[in-house]
Amino acid sequence: MSILGPLIALGGVLIGAVLSYVFSVQGERRRERWALSREWRERRLQTYGTFLADVKRMKSVASRIAADVGLDDQAPPLARSVGLDVLAEANMARGNSFETLALMGDRELVVAARALNRAVWRLEWFARGLLDDTDIDGWHVAKRDYYQAVNRFHELARLELGVTGAFSPREAEGSPREQYELERQHRIRQAKADT
């Protein structure tokens, strides 16, 4: 009997075992990388969402205070004396969530987040009375700049998170009062035309 046959069979078993081990290890590493990537994407989504919620809260409080002094006619008014403490808390939360974002986001997204911070701070300055309380046009420019900064942040966050589909940007909308006046003027013109 020749020993060559059993040696070839043993060699085949060993090669099969080694290949099986290598492919198993590679597959496990791939699954771990995928799971880690998914976990980081979920953490980024949560972090970016928290930051945006904190910024939005700060903008909302600033708008309410601005409404109290006559700058904004869309938000329900909030007295400056009461609102400043709420605004300070919102600013603290926004600062904390920004720090987390700065640890997780890529450079371009962090730059966009800083621009969003500056835009919401400008609204805050109006609310605090550090800018002219009678500059309604300046308030509207600050709101427009805020929406542009929010849109830029959204675009970059979506890109980083791999969100597909078209982005629908936001813009500052006219107040309900302005819309009502336009509709009322249209009705008056229509009534005159009918008579």
Side-chain angles (χ1 to χ4, degrees):
M1 277 197 99
S2 169
I3 192 153
L4 188 59
L7 284 178
I8 291 175
L10 180 60
V13 169
L14 288 175
I15 290 173
V18 168
L19 288 176
S20 177
Y21 174 76
V22 167
F23 288 133
S24 175
V25 167
Q26 285 180 343
E28 187 61 32
R29 285 184 184 160
R30 219 176 296 127
R31 279 190 293 277
E32 287 175 6
R33 280 194 306 267
W34 180 82
L36 185 60
S37 173
R38 182 177 178 195
E39 182 180 335
W40 274 109
R41 201 170 35 254
E42 288 173 4
R43 285 186 182 190
R44 283 185 180 119
L45 176 61
Q46 182 180 10
T47 298
Y48 302 164
T50 299
F51 173 70
L52 284 169
D54 290 342
V55 166
K56 185 176 179 181
R57 179 172 178 242
M58 194 170 161
K59 183 248 181 210
S60 177
V61 174
S63 294
R64 292 187 65 199
I65 295 170
D68 188 57
V69 297
L71 289 173
D72 192 307
D73 64 351
Q74 290 181 311
L78 177 64
R80 186 176 274 162
S81 58
V82 175
L84 289 180
D85 287 339
V86 178
L87 189 58
E89 290 172 14
N91 189 31
M92 179 82 73
R94 183 218 40 82
N96 291 337
S97 61
F98 172 77
E99 291 304 321
T100 305
L101 180 145
L103 288 171
M104 300 182 97
D106 70 6
R107 184 178 191 282
E108 199 172 354
L109 185 71
V110 173
V111 168
R114 286 186 182 124
L116 182 51
N117 282 338
R118 286 190 299 276
V120 79
W121 285 333
R122 189 166 172 204
L123 296 174
E124 176 195 22
W125 278 36
F126 270 106
R128 290 188 179 284
L130 301 174
L131 301 176
D132 186 358
D133 277 349
T134 61
D135 187 8
I136 294 173
D137 291 334
W139 171 256
H140 289 296
V141 168
K143 279 179 62 175
R144 185 199 66 223
D145 292 347
Y146 165 82
Y147 283 111
Q148 287 175 348
V150 165
N151 288 336
R152 179 67 179 148
F153 181 85
H154 271 266
E155 288 172 359
L156 293 172
R158 288 169 55 92
L159 184 66
E160 188 175 311
L161 294 169
V163 177
T164 58
F167 172 65
S168 178
R170 297 182 200 178
E171 54 187 67
E173 298 176 6
S175 74
R177 184 176 301 141
E178 291 170 343
Q179 185 64 34
Y180 170 77
E181 283 300 319
L182 290 173
E183 291 170 358
R184 187 173 71 83
Q185 290 171 7
H186 177 72
R187 285 193 312 266
I188 290 171
R189 282 193 301 269
Q190 196 69 5
K192 286 181 181 179
D194 290 343
T195 57

